Amino acid sequence: MTMTKHKLFFAWQFEEEEQWLEEMAQQGLALDGVGFCTYRFRKSAPGEYRTRLELLAHSPGHPESQDYIRFVEDTGAELVGSWFRWVYFRKKRDDGDFQLYSDLPARLRQLDRILSLLAVIGGINLLCALADLLQGLLPGLLNLAVAGLALWGGGRLWRRRGQLRRDQELYE
Amino acid sequence: MHSGSGALTEGVYYILLSLTAPLHGYGIMQRTEQLSGGRVRLAAGTLYGALNTMAERGWIAALAGDQDSRKKEYVLTPAGREILEGELQRLEELVENGRRILGGTGA
């Protein structure tokens, strides 16, 4: 039995997204496929799987990404699906602990990837907004809103990054 | 990780230690967990990044492996062993000083 749910998570909410997928898994809904704001679930034993997601440096089809995905799969996880540069893995809980990142530098790298994505989205939308609004075109307001949102989300991540960096001064 | 003679992360230290015999990624994760009594659990992404960096530095080498097996095996190189021995010396100094000053609970 499969079930499709639509839900919007912003790029800076990746931890909330993971948490939500964990709650679904606890209810016996294992993630089985992903798309833009779309999650497909398949019925499973409650808590059978643990799901992790990650923003890759390249598209999932890129040779480097393929090499990485294969490596993760060889550790007992499976790729559930991908959307844009986001990949979703799941692993059976009985097969042991499942984390993609266990050290601070790697977690910082992940945050930096998301931050640069937000910077690009924010930057492009800001330029579009300026170009439109200077000509009196109102759709520019929409671009301005997107740029503002990206800036706000980026700010949240930036603070989080600062906390992690302070940890790094004391712990490896 | 810089190219100087700084401290290794405990993850890197255990990865190198587990590669005295060839192992693939999952084998390294298991060996590390076993060596540290379950304390050090390497995450897949972290291990992947560390292996690539160490292979670039020549501390470990990827084995060609047979065609059927898509799993890449790695093994410690002489250069990697040197790094490991240097680190062991550094750790001994830390432990010795700690024991001397704190009164040597382990002595």
Side-chain angles (χ1 to χ4, degrees), chain A residues 1 3 11 13 19-20 22 37 39 42 44 61 65 70 73 78 80 94 102 104 122 124 137 163:
Chain A
M1 191 210 87
M3 182 199 277
Q13 294 176 311
Q19 184 55 40
W20 178 68
E22 173 65 22
C37 294
Y39 301 84
R42 189 178 290 277
S44 76
S65 303
R70 217 174 302 134
E73 288 195 314
E78 62 180 306
V80 177
D94 291 346
S102 52
L104 278 174
I124 289 174
L137 298 170
Q163 286 164 1

Side-chain angles (χ1 to χ4, degrees), chain B residues 58-105:
Chain B
W59 297 0
I60 59 172
L63 300 178
D66 52 288
Q67 299 263 304
D68 300 340
S69 136
R70 59 176 203 173
K71 292 184 189 178
K72 221 188 266 177
E73 282 197 320
Y74 295 88
V75 72
L76 191 66
T77 62
R81 180 173 283 270
E82 231 170 82
I83 295 285
L84 210 42
E85 278 162 5
E87 178 67 4
L88 189 58
Q89 255 177 20
R90 193 188 68 84
L91 291 172
E92 274 169 351
E93 177 218 287
L94 291 177
V95 172
E96 260 167 46
N97 282 324
R99 287 235 168 95
R100 188 169 52 78
I101 292 170
L102 292 180
T105 44

